Amino acid sequence: MSKPIVATTSLAGCFGCHMSLLDIDERILDLIQLVEFDKSPIDDIKKFSRRCDIGLIEGGCCNSENVHVLKDFRENCKILVSVGECAIMGGLPAMRNGIPLRECLEEAYLNGVTVRQSNEARIIPNDAELPILLDKVYPCHEVVKIDYHLPGCPPRADLIWEALIALVTGDAMKMPYDVIKYD
Amino acid sequence: MNQIVRFTIDGIECMAEKNTYMIEAARENGIYIPTLCNYPGIKPKGSCRVCSVKINGRMMTACTTPVTDGMVIENHTPEIDALRKAILELFFVEGNHFCPSCEKGGICELQALAYRYKIMVPRYPFAFPQRDVDATSPLLIKDQNRCILCKRCIRAITDEKGRTIFAYKKRGSRVEIGIDPKLGKELTPETAQKAMDVCPVGALLVREKGFDIPIGERKYDKMPIGSDVEKIISHT
Ligand code: SF4
Ligand code: SF4
Ligand code: FES
C-alpha cells in the first residue's frame, strides 16, 4: 500500500507551526517512513504534483492569495487540518480586525516610526501584482470546510504528532490534558 | 443545630447543610460543578450560566440555588456538557480572545474551562467586535476585548471607604465595564492586584508587570480547572 501523502502551507502566520512540526525531533525519521510530502515549504515543492491525503494549514486568510492557496488545498487534499491559533481564529494578524484597513496601511507605510524616513516618496504599495488585502483576517474554516483543528500558538509538537499518527493509522487520538493549549 | 439535607448528583448520594448553595454543597462532596461568574465570598449573580445543572428535570443555575432535601441533580450528562461547551464557545466568538498575547493565559478561568471541555475550535463565527482598552488608571488596564461581563469586579472590589470602583455602562450588546474616573486614578496597588485576581479573565490587568509565571508552570498548565475539588474524576 502506498504511503499517505501530506501537504503543508503557511498562510497569514509566522511559520511557528511549521517549526513546531519540526519539534517532533527524531520522530521525524518515523514520520518519513510513514508518509510522503508533496507541496510544502519543507521540501520546497511549489505546486501540487498529485492528490494528497492530508493538508496542514498554518495561518489565517488576510489577503486574496491566502484565499487562493487555501481553496487550492481544499481541492487537492482529502482532509484539511487547521494548525494553530492563526488558522483557527485569525490569531495575531486578526488583531487588525478592529482597525480600519486604511489606518493599518498608513501606519505600516507612512506613519510608523521605522518607516517615516525610509519611505520618502510616501507610497503605499499598490501594484496590480500584489495580493489584495481582505477587509478582515478570517479563520480558515470561515473560508473553506476544515475537518480538524489543532489549537496552540504554536500547537505542541506532541499534539501535531499525535494528530498525524491518528490520521495516518485511523486510531483515535489520545488527548492528554497538557497537549491542548491556546498559547 | 443546622439541618442536614440529602440529595444526589449524577446518582451519587450527597449531604450538606440546608440552604448551602449547590456549588458549595457539591464541592463539599467532592464534586465539581464548573463556574465562571461565581466567586467565593460574594453574592452569586447567575449571569454566565456555565454552572447550569438539571434539578428534578429542570435546567437551573447551581450557583444561585440552595440545596434542599431529596433533590435529584444532573451535572455531568451529554446534554449539559454540550450546553456548557456552547456557552464557552460563545464567550470566545463574542469577544476578542487572543490567548497567545494575553497575560492571563494559563491562569484564566475561561481558557481553563475550554481546555477542560476540549474545545478545539468554537463552532460559531467570530464576531471580532470593536472594543476599547481603558488605560486611564495609572495602576490598572481594562481591556474590554476580554471582558465576559461576569460582574465579579463590580461585586467584589471597593476602595478603603467601601465605594465601588467598577460599574456597567452603555446598554444592550454594547454594555461594558467602566472604571470610576476619580477612584480609578486613586487605586492602591493592593486593590489593583485584587481586581486583577478577582477577574476570571484577562480584562483587568495590573500595569507594568505580567507574564511572571513561565509557560508550563501556570495554574492550569498541568491540571484541569476543578481537579482540586474532584474526588470523582469526570473530565469531559
Ligand atoms: S482572557 Fe482568557 S480566554 Fe481570553 S484571551 Fe486571555 S487567556 Fe485567552
Ligand atoms: S472586568 Fe473581569 S471581573 Fe469585571 S465583569 Fe469583566 S470579566 Fe468580569
Ligand atoms: S457560575 Fe453560575 S451562572 Fe455563572
Side-chain angles (χ1 to χ4, degrees):
Chain A
M1 206 177 82
S2 60
K3 291 183 194 172
I5 304 159
V6 178
T8 80
T9 190
S10 175
L11 308 177
C14 70
F15 261 103
C17 299
H18 275 84
M19 300 313 286
S20 195
L21 170 61
L22 298 180
D23 265 347
I24 61 174
D25 300 330
E26 75 281 0
R27 283 173 290 184
I28 204 141
L29 299 174
D30 301 332
L31 187 62
I32 49 173
Q33 297 294 324
L34 281 172
V35 303
E36 262 179 70
F37 278 87
D38 197 71
K39 177 178 158 64
S40 166
I42 293 174
D43 51 20
D44 210 22
I45 297 180
K46 308 265 195 258
K47 287 202 171 118
F48 282 104
S49 66
R50 58 208 144 155
R51 201 168 154 71
C52 297
D53 298 288
I54 302 164
L56 303 179
I57 313 287
E58 163 188 338
C61 290
C62 87
N63 64 29
S64 54
E65 203 244 345
N66 297 151
V67 173
H68 172 78
V69 173
L70 183 57
K71 288 190 170 160
D72 196 29
F73 263 73
R74 182 69 280 178
E75 274 168 29
N76 285 286
C77 301
K78 279 190 216 142
I79 294 168
L80 273 198
V81 187
S82 266
V83 183
E85 288 300 308
C86 298
I88 290 175
M89 53 90 71
L92 298 199
M95 289 177 105
R96 80 149 150 101
N97 285 359
I99 305 166
L101 205 48
R102 172 175 289 277
E103 228 175 276
C104 292
L105 288 167
E106 287 178 349
E107 182 67 17
Y109 291 103
L110 307 181
N111 306 329
V113 278
T114 53
V115 288
R116 253 179 251 155
Q117 268 86 41
S118 56
N119 184 6
E120 273 172 22
R122 298 186 57 75
I123 292 171
I124 293 179
N126 64 353
D127 195 282
E129 291 283 312
L130 292 174
I132 310 243
L133 288 187
L134 306 181
D135 60 334
K136 275 197 239 163
V137 178
Y138 291 90
C140 293
H141 64 271
E142 292 188 10
V143 178
V144 300
K145 179 179 181 291
I146 298 283
D147 303 290
Y148 299 101
H149 297 81
L150 302 176
C153 183
R156 305 295 183 266
D158 287 339
L159 181 64
I160 303 179
W161 170 253
E162 276 204 10
L164 272 175
I165 294 301
L167 283 174
V168 169
T169 59
D171 290 342
M173 197 167 128
K174 292 193 276 348
M175 289 212 281
Y177 176 78
D178 44 5
V179 302
I180 301 170
K181 292 283 172 281
Y182 294 175
D183 50 16
Chain B
M1 212 186 87
N2 280 326
Q3 199 188 326
I4 298 290
V5 295
R6 288 165 191 279
F7 51 95
T8 64
I9 301 181
D10 295 333
I12 297 155
E13 306 268 354
C14 301
M15 282 193 296
E17 271 181 23
K18 196 178 170 190
N19 287 333
T20 315
Y21 284 122
M22 195 173 294
I23 293 290
E24 198 39 48
R27 171 183 282 269
E28 284 164 15
N29 286 277
I31 294 168
Y32 175 65
I33 301 178
T35 61
L36 205 42
C37 68
N38 199 51
Y39 194 76
I42 56 172
K43 195 162 176 268
K45 181 77 182 63
S47 65
C48 74
R49 321 311 277 184
V50 164
C51 69
S52 297
V53 289
K54 256 191 184 175
I55 305 169
N56 301 338
R58 280 184 62 204
M59 216 50 114
M60 296 179 75
T61 48
C63 67
T64 55
T65 311
V67 282
T68 58
D69 216 19
M71 264 184 177
V72 176
I73 301 157
E74 289 168 61
N75 173 41
H76 185 58
T77 65
E79 184 195 4
I80 296 167
D81 286 342
L83 173 78
R84 287 181 187 154
K85 233 175 144 164
I87 294 171
L88 294 168
E89 288 168 25
L90 284 167
F91 278 125
F92 277 93
V93 297
E94 180 277 342
N96 293 307
H97 291 273
F98 298 105
C99 292
S101 67
C102 179
E103 280 173 45
K104 267 286 181 101
I107 51 174
C108 163
E109 292 176 33
L110 174 61
Q111 192 192 53
L113 282 166
Y115 293 164
R116 189 183 162 102
Y117 283 90
K118 295 207 163 95
I119 294 174
M120 308 297 265
V121 62
R123 78 196 87 159
Y124 311 108
F126 286 97
F128 295 122
Q130 224 166 321
R131 302 258 172 86
D132 289 333
V133 176
D134 175 351
T136 52
S137 160
L139 294 181
L140 202 64
I141 284 177
K142 189 220 71 183
D143 187 343
Q144 196 60 40
N145 290 292
R146 304 178 186 135
C147 176
I148 56 162
L149 300 169
C150 67
K151 273 191 168 181
R152 270 159 60 156
C153 56
I154 302 182
R155 290 178 288 150
I157 307 294
T158 52
D159 70 357
E160 321 80 84
K161 294 187 186 135
R163 295 175 293 190
T164 53
I165 296 164
F166 301 95
Y168 270 177
K169 62 178 195 189
K170 301 188 185 165
R171 282 171 191 273
S173 62
R174 297 177 60 222
V175 70
E176 59 178 60
I177 292 294
I179 308 182
D180 183 284
K182 189 162 168 293
L183 300 182
K185 293 214 171 66
E186 294 165 5
L187 278 183
T188 62
E190 293 72 39
T191 312
Q193 184 61 52
K194 194 174 161 205
M196 179 169 171
D197 295 342
V198 158
C199 181
V201 289
L204 297 175
L205 299 172
V206 171
R207 293 177 85 149
E208 294 181 13
K209 86 181 252 295
F211 299 105
D212 32 11
I213 314 169
I215 289 183
E217 291 170 26
R218 301 162 306 178
K219 189 169 179 189
Y220 301 121
D221 276 342
K222 295 214 174 70
M223 294 300 287
I225 189 168
S227 41
D228 53 333
V229 174
E230 282 167 316
K231 279 201 229 99
I232 303 132
I233 301 289
S234 59
H235 299 160
T236 319

